[in-house]
Amino acid sequence: MTTNSALTKPHRAVRWWLISVAALIALMVLVGGATRLTESGLSIVEWKPVTGSMPPLSEAQWTDAFEAYKKIPQYRELNAGMSLSEFKEIFWWEWSHRLLGRFIGVAYLLPFLFFLWRGGLSGELKRRLWFLFALGGLQGAVGWWMVASGLSERVEVSQYRLATHLVLALLIFAGIVWTVRRLADRPQIAAPARLRLTSGLLLVVTFVQIYFGALVAGLRAGRAYNTWPQIDGAFIPPADRLWFETPWWRNMFDNVLTVQFEHRMTAYALFALAALHAFDAVRSRAGSAAGGALWLFAAVSLQAVLGILTLLNQVPIDLALSHQAVAIVVLTLAVMQAERLALRQSAQANPRAVPVGQAG
């Protein structure tokens, strides 16, 4: 059995398992976003992968956790005088985020071992699933690496590490969505090669935009320059404001104005590329690829509107989380569109392409 063979009962079970894990990862990303927005990410100053799954159960344990938090710069410089009840509010966000990460690991590993024991997974599929599991383990380490950056000399985590943590989570998510799509045996869509190219480019630009968005979040850049379409008084700010740090490339990651500007410009590029891809897919009568392109363009448009509203309102938590949720939708649709147009081994071995203009 190959990953492109007909969906037998075991493969249907694998699909639903992977869909469930992908949904949990999406939830994890949103909880992580709320943790960031509520400044809760540094409330737990130790990494205990096993024993850390239990929260404080007594007043003495709560006091110990609070005293540990008081030793880091964030408390001293931002939250001095915080009460224990206020500490508990931020603690629960970070604890829930970590607990959900542990649950995802178990929800992935145990069914995976069961499917391996039952057999029926191709060698290619097993290698892909083991690779995704390894990335999940790496993600846990990256999460602590991110938190550790804010425990000694900073009052927040490094924006570099925050962006790495988010992008890695969504790479795992995208890998699962792609794998789910590949488990179904669909005929190859005989669309023009340029549609495959632009679908792949859309996926790449979506990840770049997510990375820049994480930098914006890490620098709190969304709370500055809250005008649109102008930023700092112009559509394109002066070069001496964008590139004053040395070396010049540090501005792309550390300069609040430059980071927000590149996030905006990438959004415009993504919108234009999604519109071009949708127009080309419809004009080419590319079957299901045309519908997929239109849905992707609609999601990108909604995401742009939410981004503008979030900026103009100085990042309220409801709009910010909606913006992040639609980003996950955009990524999902971009992955599905790229996979839909990608070449399939089954189609190469047994050409059964769907002509342009037919569904597939």
Side-chain angles (χ1 to χ4, degrees):
M1 179 181 293
T2 68
T3 57
N4 296 312
S5 61
L7 275 179
T8 61
K9 186 174 181 180
H11 266 198
R12 283 198 297 271
V14 171
R15 282 191 87 207
W16 281 111
W17 159 58
L18 290 176
I19 289 171
S20 299
V21 173
L24 287 170
I25 293 174
L27 177 61
M28 176 83 166
V29 170
L30 292 177
V31 173
T35 300
R36 178 69 187 89
L37 289 165
T38 56
E39 304 285 357
S40 304
L42 297 177
S43 58
I44 302 177
V45 300
E46 296 177 305
W47 189 34
K48 298 178 179 179
V50 178
T51 58
S53 59
M54 292 295 295
L57 299 176
S58 66
E59 201 65 19
Q61 290 177 333
W62 275 114
T63 300
D64 289 343
F66 191 23
E67 290 300 320
Y69 176 65
K70 288 181 178 179
K71 295 177 182 178
I72 69 172
Q74 186 184 79
Y75 173 81
R76 295 194 301 269
E77 297 182 30
L78 296 182
N79 293 326
M82 169 185 277
S83 67
L84 179 59
S85 63
E86 291 171 330
F87 169 72
K88 289 180 180 181
E89 291 179 11
I90 65 172
F91 179 94
W92 284 121
W93 275 115
E94 176 64 8
W95 181 81
S96 299
H97 185 56
R98 295 192 188 192
L99 183 67
L100 186 54
R102 294 180 177 97
F103 180 74
I104 290 172
V106 173
Y108 188 98
L109 181 60
L110 294 184
F112 183 32
L113 293 176
F114 173 77
F115 289 128
L116 289 174
W117 173 66
R118 288 291 300 270
L121 300 180
S122 70
E124 177 193 353
L125 181 57
K126 282 190 286 188
R127 287 190 295 272
R128 185 178 301 174
L129 293 176
W130 274 121
F131 179 67
L132 290 171
F133 178 72
L135 288 181
L138 176 62
Q139 175 70 341
V142 169
W144 174 247
W145 176 64
M146 176 190 69
V147 170
S149 68
L151 297 181
S152 57
E153 299 177 357
R154 302 170 60 103
V155 297
E156 73 285 307
V157 299
S158 162
Q159 71 271 21
Y160 301 95
R161 300 187 187 189
L162 174 67
T164 302
H165 188 51
L166 176 62
V167 169
L168 181 55
L170 291 177
L171 276 173
I172 297 168
F173 174 83
I176 291 175
V177 173
W178 184 284
T179 301
V180 169
R181 295 276 305 176
R182 286 276 138 161
L183 284 173
D185 184 30
R186 298 182 181 88
Q188 177 70 53
I189 297 175
R194 65 178 180 274
L195 280 179
R196 286 196 294 274
L197 175 63
T198 53
S199 69
L201 185 58
L202 272 166
L203 183 56
V204 171
V205 176
T206 297
F207 268 110
V208 172
Q209 178 67 336
I210 287 170
Y211 180 82
F212 285 152
L215 292 180
V216 168
L219 290 170
R220 301 180 182 83
R223 293 192 169 96
Y225 309 107
N226 300 105
T227 58
W228 183 86
Q230 291 188 330
I231 176 173
D232 196 29
F235 185 76
I236 300 178
D240 60 344
R241 296 273 293 152
L242 290 172
W243 309 107
F244 67 85
E245 291 194 21
T246 54
W248 66 268
W249 55 265
R250 288 190 64 89
N251 290 277
M252 299 179 65
F253 307 97
D254 293 332
N255 183 335
V256 170
L257 176 61
T258 308
V259 167
Q260 193 191 119
F261 177 71
E262 64 197 8
H263 188 52
R264 292 189 187 200
M265 292 299 107
T266 307
Y268 297 147
L270 182 61
F271 179 84
L273 184 59
L276 176 64
H277 179 73
F279 175 78
D280 194 13
V282 171
R283 186 186 61 176
S284 301
R285 298 181 180 179
S288 63
L294 288 171
W295 276 109
L296 178 56
F297 176 62
V300 170
S301 301
L302 176 59
Q303 176 70 343
V305 171
L306 284 171
I308 294 167
L309 291 175
T310 302
L311 176 73
L312 294 178
N313 289 279
Q314 300 186 24
V315 199
I317 190 168
D318 53 348
L319 279 175
L321 289 179
S322 297
H323 185 53
Q324 190 165 8
V326 177
I328 298 172
V329 173
V330 169
L331 177 61
T332 302
L333 294 173
V335 172
M336 292 174 65
Q337 184 70 351
E339 189 281 331
R340 184 181 287 118
L341 287 165
L343 294 176
R344 289 175 170 269
Q345 293 179 356
S346 58
Q348 294 169 343
N350 182 21
R352 190 162 60 89
V354 175
V356 170
Q358 295 185 21

